[in-house]
């Protein structure tokens, strides 16, 4: 089954026909909220709001382990995460939608693995390509069918938050090769890989990164919400088209 993790601006799926909600406990604590089960275009999906349904959980306090564990436990095979980002690359502007293909992790102090604890043999995962290519392609194909412009590829810098970056930090991220900055794809992507889930992200550019473009003198937080609403409507169109693409 397809699972969708909604981020900022996507705390619910308006086009989801809800069948039930499931409150979960996991060995890692409580997920961000109940998992919502329902049908999107007649296909079964599950949905969870990463920041809670009231958008109260900041990026560094999200229980990523519990969220991914709960989705896996309920039968998810593919996970599409939706994430707001700031555009670093000059050609990324507010409103653009990107399917990133790489990650650089700058986060710290988060619970980032299931493979810890005593009496456990050391386990590594291959993370050369942090996003599942097949699922990325399914999203890109769905965007084409939905007639929604969607960029193929880009490096996602996962920053700690909850504050936004300084202009100098954004310069460093760019020198490192990052195209966009967000706060949530790590450890989410790595945990999905540890559980054997397919995982890909639909990144929505909601602002120019600090010091760039319209954020040259500061990020105008109030204008983010005006970008988010129409962009998330476009994301919903893409999700409607991707849901049937793997025999869900
Ligand atoms: N930086 C980091 N995370 C973000 C941004 C940003 O500019 N915009 C939305 N999420």
């Amino acid at each position: 089954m397809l699972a969708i993790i909604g981020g900022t601006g996507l705390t619910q799926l308006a086009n989801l026909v809800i069948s039930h909600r499931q409150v979960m406990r996991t060995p890692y604590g409580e997920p961000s909220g109940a998992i919502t089960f329902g049908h999107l275009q007649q296909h079964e999906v599950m949905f969870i709001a990463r920041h809670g349904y009231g958008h109260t959980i900041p990026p560094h306090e999200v229980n990523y382990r519990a969220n991914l564990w709960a989705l896996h436990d309920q039968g998810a095979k593919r996970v599409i995460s939706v994430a707001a980002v700031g555009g670093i690359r000059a050609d990324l502007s507010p409103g653009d939608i990107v399917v990133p293909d790489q990650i650089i992790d700058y986060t710290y102090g988060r619970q980032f693995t299931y493979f810890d604890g005593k009496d456990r043999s050391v386990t590594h995962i291959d993370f050369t390509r942090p996003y599942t290519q097949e699922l990325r392609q399914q999203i890109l194909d769905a965007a084409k069918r939905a007639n929604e412009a969607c960029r193929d590829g880009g490096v996602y810098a996962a920053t700690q938050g909850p504050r936004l970056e300084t202009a100098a930090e954004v310069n460093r991220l760019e020198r490192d090769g990052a195209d966009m900055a967000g706060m949530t794809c790590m450890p989410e992507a790595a945990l999905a890989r540890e559980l054997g889930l397919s995982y890909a992200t639909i990144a929505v550019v909601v602002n120019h990164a600090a010091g760039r473009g319209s954020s040259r003198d500061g990020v105008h937080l109030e204008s983010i919400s005006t970008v988010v609403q129409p962009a998330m409507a476009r994301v919903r169109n893409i999700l409607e088209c991707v849901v049937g693409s793997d025999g869900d």
Side-chain angles (χ1 to χ4, degrees), residues 153-219:
V155 178
Y156 177 109
T159 60
Q160 176 68 359
R163 67 165 177 85
L164 295 169
E165 297 74 37
T166 66
E169 285 171 336
V170 171
N171 289 341
R172 177 176 77 133
L173 296 180
E174 184 167 48
R175 284 196 300 276
D176 283 356
D179 298 309
M180 68 202 92
M183 301 174 188
T184 53
C185 275
M186 286 299 287
E188 209 171 71
L191 293 167
R193 182 63 55 84
E194 286 187 356
L195 291 173
L197 293 162
S198 292
Y199 179 92
T201 292
I202 301 176
V204 179
V205 181
V206 297
N207 58 279
H208 286 116
R212 304 292 164 105
S214 58
S215 303
R216 177 177 299 276
D217 297 318
V219 179

Side-chain angles (χ1 to χ4, degrees), residues 214-232:
S214 58
S215 303
R216 177 177 299 276
D217 297 318
V219 179
H220 307 287
L221 297 170
E222 61 294 341
S223 63
I224 288 181
S225 57
T226 61
V227 175
V228 163
Q229 293 313 321
M232 289 305 165

Side-chain angles (χ1 to χ4, degrees), residues 80-101:
I80 295 180
S81 87
V82 181
V85 297
I88 298 175
R89 207 169 73 199
D91 66 338
L92 288 182
S93 300
D96 286 347
I97 295 177
V98 192
V99 180
D101 63 347

